[in-house]
Structures are given as C-alpha cells and as structure tokens.
C-alpha cells in the first residue's frame, strides 16, 4: 500500500477486517526502563525482537522444538531467555542450562531428571498441568568424541526420537512427557562444532541476522536516553543524545 519497506517489515492482524501492520508499530513505544535497572539486564524491544518473539511464541505453543542460530551479538540468548521468562508460571516450568566443551550426557540427563516428577510407573514429567521447556544455550559446544558424536546431543536426540532415555541406576526406560527443548547456538568455528542433521531435523531452525543500522540506532538512543535520565544530566545535554 505504498508504505515502503519489504514484506518482512509487516505482520497481518486478523482483528476486525484484517490489516497489514508494521512490526515496529506493534512495539511498546514508551519502553520505560527503571532508573535503577542493571545495564546487562536491559532489553530494548525492536522490530527484530517482535518478529522472533512472534515465531517463538507460536512454535512453543504447538510443542515445536526451536533452535536459534546466529553470530555473536544478535541477541539469541537474551531474546529466548526474555521470552521464556514471560511465560505463565502456572502453565510452564522453565529450565535453563548452558553447554560447554566439557558437558557430558550424564550431567545433561541429571539436570533434566532432577526437575521431573514420577507420573506413573516408567513415566516422568513436570508437575501435572504444566509443560517443561528446557533452554539449552551454546548447543554445539560439547566436544566431538572419537567416533564423531557429541554425547549430550545424542541424549537429546534419543528423547526426540524415542520419547525418553534410560534410568542409569535401574537400567529401565524413562518415558518423558510434557517436555520440549529450545536452544541457541553460534555458527560452527572457534570451539563450536557442526551438529548432526539427525538432531537438527527435530528443530525448527530460525536464523538470526546481523542487526540493521536502524535497529542499532533505536537500541542505543533508548539506552543513552535512559542513562542520561538515570544520572540526572542537564536537559540541554540530554537533547544532544541523538
């Protein structure tokens, strides 16, 4: 309709007669940040975060496993963390873990199993009425062993293929229900590894691109305005923030 931009800048709203609306217009324009907020915890909403959150919201609601892939600085971890923290605590149990080169399959299994309740013989899950989402950061960091596998990832794949894994004490199969995984990772290289297509096929993969200059301007102008307000700068100086 002559508004400019491309198709990725718009979302279709079904409300009423239905109309196309810019992602940017769906954001909370006030974006008020508490004066005493910790700098590292501030998340400035942008058209990018609106798009990614929309996708994550609909995929997780339909029990799809989500994998965010993108270079450092694209906000993979903070976007996913912020979205998961916004979920209703009465409906979801969120468990966060970060993989490193030393992460083992047993450690990964213990982290998940420790949060699961016994539902009935051989079946485990989060408290009844809830769904558990496990967020794995740096999914492709575990070391590749002698035969080319990454044991923690093979464990996750076993759950996705067969619905569970083995109890290491009793050697009986543990069926895991109402459980799904979300993950984030950077491109292979610099300690990060290629992961097997046999695992990737279970995820809906979202590629996160470098931040555009317009989005960067929005982020930094919001942060600078917050800083000037929080530190009580003279109004004449604050005008120069842009």
């Amino acid at each position: 309709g002559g508004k400019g931009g491309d198709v990725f800048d718009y979302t279709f709203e079904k409300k009423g007669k239905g109309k196309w609306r810019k992602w940017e217009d769906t954001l909370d324009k006030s974006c008020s940040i508490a004066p005493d907020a910790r700098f590292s915890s501030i998340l400035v909403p942008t058209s990018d975060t609106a798009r990614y959150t929309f996708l994550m919201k609909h995929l997780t609601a339909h029990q799809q496993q989500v994998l965010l892939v993108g270079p450092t600085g694209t906000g993979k971890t903070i976007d996913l963390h912020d979205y998961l923290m916004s979920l209703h605590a009465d409906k979801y149990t969120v468990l966060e873990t970060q993989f490193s080169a030393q992460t083992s399959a047993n450690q990964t299994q213990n982290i998940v199993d420790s949060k699961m309740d016994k539902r009935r013989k051989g079946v485990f899950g989060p408290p009844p009425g809830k769904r558990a989402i496990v967020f794995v950061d740096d999914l492709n960091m575990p070391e590749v062993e002698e035969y080319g596998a990454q044991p923690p990832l093979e464990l996750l794949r076993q759950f996705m293929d067969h619905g569970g894994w083995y109890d290491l004490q009793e050697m009986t199969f543990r069926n895991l229900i109402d459980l799904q995984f979300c993950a984030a990772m950077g491109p292979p290289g610099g300690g990060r590894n290629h992961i097997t297509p046999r695992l990737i096929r279970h995820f809906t993969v979202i590629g996160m691109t470098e931040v555009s200059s317009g989005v960067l301007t929005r982020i930094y102008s919001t942060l600078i305005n917050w800083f000037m307000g929080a530190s009580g700068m003279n109004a004449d100086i604050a005008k120069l923030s842009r």
Side-chain angles (χ1 to χ4, degrees), residues 23-226:
W23 283 110
E24 216 169 285
D25 299 338
T26 66
L27 301 174
D28 176 8
K29 288 288 188 281
S30 62
C31 186
S32 55
I33 304 167
D36 58 348
R38 275 200 351 267
F39 181 75
S40 60
S41 68
I42 296 170
L43 182 65
V44 179
T46 65
S47 51
D48 281 343
T49 61
R51 286 185 286 226
Y52 295 133
T53 304
F54 174 87
L55 289 170
M56 290 187 286
K57 179 181 167 186
H58 285 81
L59 289 165
T60 51
H62 290 87
Q63 285 94 53
Q64 300 298 308
Q65 336 272 348
V66 180
L67 174 59
L68 300 185
V69 183
T72 305
T74 47
K76 303 179 296 296
T77 303
I78 196 162
D79 278 354
L80 200 38
H81 168 82
D82 195 65
Y83 164 66
L84 293 174
M85 290 300 103
S86 73
L87 293 172
H88 289 296
D90 56 339
K91 288 184 182 172
Y92 291 95
T93 298
V94 177
L95 176 59
E96 299 192 22
T97 184
Q98 184 171 18
F99 280 180
S100 72
Q102 275 67 53
T103 303
S104 71
N106 286 9
Q107 283 170 337
T108 306
Q109 183 170 343
N110 288 338
I111 288 168
V112 177
D113 282 348
S114 68
K115 299 291 180 184
M116 297 290 122
D117 296 346
K118 185 170 184 175
R119 295 280 188 91
R120 55 186 184 276
K121 185 174 167 63
V123 179
F124 297 81
K130 286 193 178 186
R131 187 161 186 86
I133 299 182
V134 180
F135 170 31
V136 182
D137 200 13
D138 288 328
L139 181 73
N140 55 348
M141 283 299 277
E143 206 167 6
V144 176
E145 49 100 290
E146 187 182 351
Y147 300 104
Q150 291 164 279
L153 303 194
E154 294 302 323
L155 181 80
L156 300 192
R157 189 181 62 76
Q158 185 178 24
F159 161 73
M160 291 172 197
D161 275 338
H162 304 290
W165 46 54
Y166 282 87
D167 184 304
L168 300 176
Q169 269 70 49
E170 298 176 23
M171 294 303 169
T172 53
F173 194 75
R174 290 173 69 97
N175 286 288
L176 301 170
I177 59 172
D178 296 331
L179 172 67
Q180 68 194 84
F181 286 82
C182 290
M185 67 180 220
R192 296 186 175 93
N193 304 293
H194 284 277
I195 66 174
T196 168
R198 297 202 306 175
L199 176 62
I200 291 181
R201 72 193 177 91
H202 289 288
F203 284 101
T204 297
V205 181
I206 300 174
M208 298 186 75
T209 55
E210 295 284 3
V211 182
S212 69
S213 58
V215 168
L216 277 178
T217 303
R218 177 183 165 83
I219 292 170
Y220 284 106
S221 56
T222 304
L223 291 174
I224 290 169
N225 288 335
W226 164 76

